[in-house]
């Protein structure tokens, strides 16, 4: 039986999480501008989630049910991993900021990046080994873009928006204590997963996944992924026509944002060797499409995407960031339509009862 070590209060790992990196419980997504018009991309109206996707977004195949459930970016839209440039910002879990990478155009600039919860060392090495061993006892099915998968979830037709239990018998037994441990995190209070998908990435297969949003009709706000066997990078991009407001940082030491009009060029020019310039730096506006944010996922880390990171920013894994075998275990909750008070509340209850029996085999 898998034994998951209890975590300290608020799910803060001892010595594993940087100081000042508190989780913020998810709230309803803010009213943000929709992604800009782009052929084949799902463009929701500002401030709300659509009930269906345009035809160009519908995939009558199995769909990308882990990290891309029910969605698929057309090949001509997503950059190939080989052609994708280096992410120009990196997410800092301690501050919640996306900080411009050194030696690139936006070095010394940052902006708030809400909707990400990252915890290192969520499970131990022994627990990881046991989980992977149990997974490998079942078959892995070939999936898209060099991935293999194991699905534990209901039968879904995202094109016609039809859902039924099918051959779903529940989440696997080894996930029971993992889910219990997740619920100890404040950002995951009340999280009830109805689906689990394991994805196997290998560099020899060129495994990757294109930029995408996860489905909004069936899946709820929080997307939870456990990163096993090797580190990787989750690359975030935005198609919005809006601009992002960048602020200069005081310096590399603390990474704090400078209030407008209070930052002098003196500290900003340390890297370039210029000293003594006292001109004021104002906030800078850049098109959203020019910004990409790297979220570094250490081995055995847990990441949660919600709010803006869920509904405004697409996420991707490029093959250049798959150096060794990597397994991603993704858990999803039901949307409001299938939850208490929703139009399909009874079906949601039925599926949750099956899922949380923890007696499942891959479908």
């Amino acid at each position: 039986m898998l034994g998951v070590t209890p975590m300290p209060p608020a799910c803060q790992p001892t010595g594993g999480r940087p100081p000042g990196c508190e989780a913020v419980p998810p709230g309803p997504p803010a009213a943000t501008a929709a992604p800009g018009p782009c052929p084949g991309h799902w463009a929701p109206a500002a401030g709300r989630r659509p009930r269906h996707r345009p035809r160009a977004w519908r995939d009558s195949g199995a769909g990308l049910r882990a990290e891309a459930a029910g969605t698929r970016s057309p090949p001509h839209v997503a950059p190939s991993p080989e052609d994708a440039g280096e992410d120009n910002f990196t997410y800092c879990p301690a501050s919640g900021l996306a900080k411009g990478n050194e030696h690139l155009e936006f070095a010394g600039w940052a902006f708030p990046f809400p909707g990400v919860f990252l915890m290192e060392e969520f499970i131990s090495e022994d627990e990881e080994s046991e989980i992977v061993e149990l997974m490998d006892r079942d078959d892995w099915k070939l999936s898209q873009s060099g991935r293999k998968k194991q699905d534990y979830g209901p039968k879904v037709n995202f094109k016609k928006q039809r859902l039924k239990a099918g051959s779903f018998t529940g989440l696997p037994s080894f996930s029971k204590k993992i889910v219990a441990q997740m619920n100890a995190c404040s950002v995951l209070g009340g999280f009830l997963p109805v689906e689990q998908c394991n994805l196997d990435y290998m560099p020899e297969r060129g495994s990757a996944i294109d930029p995408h949003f996860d489905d909004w009709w069936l899946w709820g706000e929080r997307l939870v992924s456990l990163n096993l066997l090797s580190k990787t990078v989750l690359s975030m991009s935005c198609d919005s026509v809006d601009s992002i407001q960048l602020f200069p940082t005081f310096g590399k030491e603390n990474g704090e944002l400078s209030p407008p009009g209070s930052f002098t060029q003196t500290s900003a020019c340390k890297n370039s060797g210029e000293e003594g310039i006292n001109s004021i730096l104002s906030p800078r506006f850049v098109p959203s499409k020019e910004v990409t944010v790297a979220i570094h996922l250490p081995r055995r880390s847990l990441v949660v995407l919600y709010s803006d990171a869920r509904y405004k920013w697409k996420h991707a894994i490029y093959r250049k960031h798959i150096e060794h075998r990597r397994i991603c275990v993704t858990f999803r909750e039901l949307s409001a339509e299938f939850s208490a008070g929703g139009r399909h509340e009874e079906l949601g209850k039925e599926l949750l009862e099956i899922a949380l029996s923890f007696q499942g085999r891959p479908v």
Side-chain angles (χ1 to χ4, degrees), residues 42 49-50 53 62-71 151-156 158 163 168 191-197 213-223 310-311 330-339 351-352:
W42 187 11
R49 308 168 209 170
R53 296 189 302 281
L64 307 180
R65 296 188 57 204
E67 297 182 281
T71 65
D151 283 327
Y152 300 83
K155 183 170 182 161
V156 188
F158 289 99
L163 174 69
F168 180 38
F191 182 79
L192 298 174
V194 73
E195 191 247 16
Q196 174 181 331
C197 190
F213 293 113
D214 278 34
D215 183 80
W216 297 356
W217 163 67
L218 178 57
W219 309 132
E221 179 166 1
R222 294 168 290 185
L223 306 177
R310 163 79 162 102
Y311 296 114
T330 297
F331 299 90
R332 295 183 177 86
E333 63 185 345
L334 289 169
S335 66
E337 189 167 337
F338 296 88
S339 302
L351 295 175
L352 275 176

Side-chain angles (χ1 to χ4, degrees), residues 169-284:
T169 55
L171 303 189
S173 59
F174 62 79
S175 294
K176 185 173 185 177
K177 289 188 177 180
I178 298 175
V179 171
Q181 181 167 318
M182 291 193 305
N183 284 327
C185 300
S186 58
V187 74
L188 289 174
F191 182 79
L192 298 174
V194 73
E195 191 247 16
Q196 174 181 331
C197 190
N198 309 328
L199 283 186
D200 184 302
Y201 291 74
M202 287 284 283
E204 295 82 0
R205 297 196 302 265
S207 303
I209 194 164
D210 288 340
H212 63 275
F213 293 113
D214 278 34
D215 183 80
W216 297 356
W217 163 67
L218 178 57
W219 309 132
E221 179 166 1
R222 294 168 290 185
L223 306 177
V224 185
S225 292
L226 182 60
N227 187 59
L228 304 179
L229 296 182
S230 64
K231 66 180 181 180
T232 193
V233 176
L234 192 62
S235 295
M236 312 293 289
S237 59
C238 182
D239 287 340
S240 173
V241 296
D242 285 354
S243 293
I244 293 177
Q245 186 174 12
L246 308 181
F247 296 93
T249 57
F250 282 118
K252 294 189 296 182
E253 292 79 9
N254 54 29
E256 295 178 356
L257 293 183
S258 172
S262 67
F263 188 80
T264 65
Q265 188 73 19
T266 302
S267 59
C269 293
K270 289 181 181 179
N271 291 336
S272 62
E274 301 175 20
E275 298 285 350
I277 302 175
N278 293 316
S279 60
I280 302 299
L281 283 181
S282 299
R284 176 180 177 183

Side-chain angles (χ1 to χ4, degrees), residues 86 88 100-108 252 271:
E86 182 179 355
N88 45 30
N101 292 334
E102 293 186 25
H103 311 302
L104 295 180
E105 178 185 2
F106 301 116
K252 294 189 296 182
N271 291 336

Side-chain angles (χ1 to χ4, degrees), residues 111-130:
F111 66 97
F113 196 81
V116 179
F117 174 85
L118 179 64
M119 175 171 296
E120 298 184 18
E121 298 294 337
F122 185 75
I123 60 174
S124 69
E125 291 185 29
D126 289 343
E127 291 165 348
E128 177 189 49
S129 297
E130 186 175 353

